[in-house]
């Protein structure tokens, strides 16, 4: 069993105002905590991992396939692998939540070794 505390992680800034902390992982999935500051944008990207998430604070606008989907506190979402997507915090408070990736997401290039 692996235990990783958020308080022990040093978040990386993947983009201006977008902070990610890679947490626990296993053979089939791993989890990442995120904080996205007001006005911050996650540019369109894709990855082979299925991505599910849960927002516990704030509101995030996702863009995918020409549509916008607003997810707020208490909402979960799922993004199929290889589907291009982007996100933006258009609100006035920091968005906080977690993402789960399957298969496990490798340590991103912006994450310190």
């Amino acid at each position: 069993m692996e235990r990783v505390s958020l308080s022990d992680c040093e978040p990386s800034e993947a983009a201006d105002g977008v902070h990610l902390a890679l947490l626990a992982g296993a053979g089939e999935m791993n989890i990442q905590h995120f904080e996205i500051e007001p006005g911050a944008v996650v540019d369109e990207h894709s990855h082979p991992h299925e991505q599910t998430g849960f927002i516990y604070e704030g509101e995030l606008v996702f863009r995918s396939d020409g549509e916008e989907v607003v997810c707020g506190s208490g909402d979960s979402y799922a993004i199929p692998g290889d589907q291009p997507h982007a996100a933006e915090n258009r609100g006035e408070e920091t968005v906080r939540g977690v993402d789960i990736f399957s298969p496990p997401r490798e340590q991103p290039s912006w994450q310190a070794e």
Side-chain angles (χ1 to χ4, degrees), residues 33-109:
H33 183 266
F34 61 84
E35 292 186 358
I36 303 175
E37 297 173 10
V41 174
V42 177
D43 290 330
E44 184 173 272
H45 64 286
S46 66
H47 40 75
H49 317 85
E50 291 184 338
Q51 177 180 352
T52 60
F54 178 78
I55 294 174
Y56 64 86
E57 210 171 281
E59 184 176 276
L60 199 57
V61 179
F62 287 92
R63 292 187 314 278
S64 183
D65 291 334
E67 295 182 1
E68 288 191 350
V69 176
V70 178
C71 292
S73 180
D75 289 339
S76 63
Y77 51 88
I79 303 168
D82 295 318
Q83 181 173 337
H85 56 283
E88 181 178 357
N89 181 351
R90 297 179 185 165
E92 295 182 10
E93 68 177 299
T94 299
V95 177
R96 291 181 174 85
V98 294
D99 281 322
I100 298 170
F101 295 95
S102 179
R105 189 174 192 177
E106 295 294 322
Q107 191 161 345
S109 60

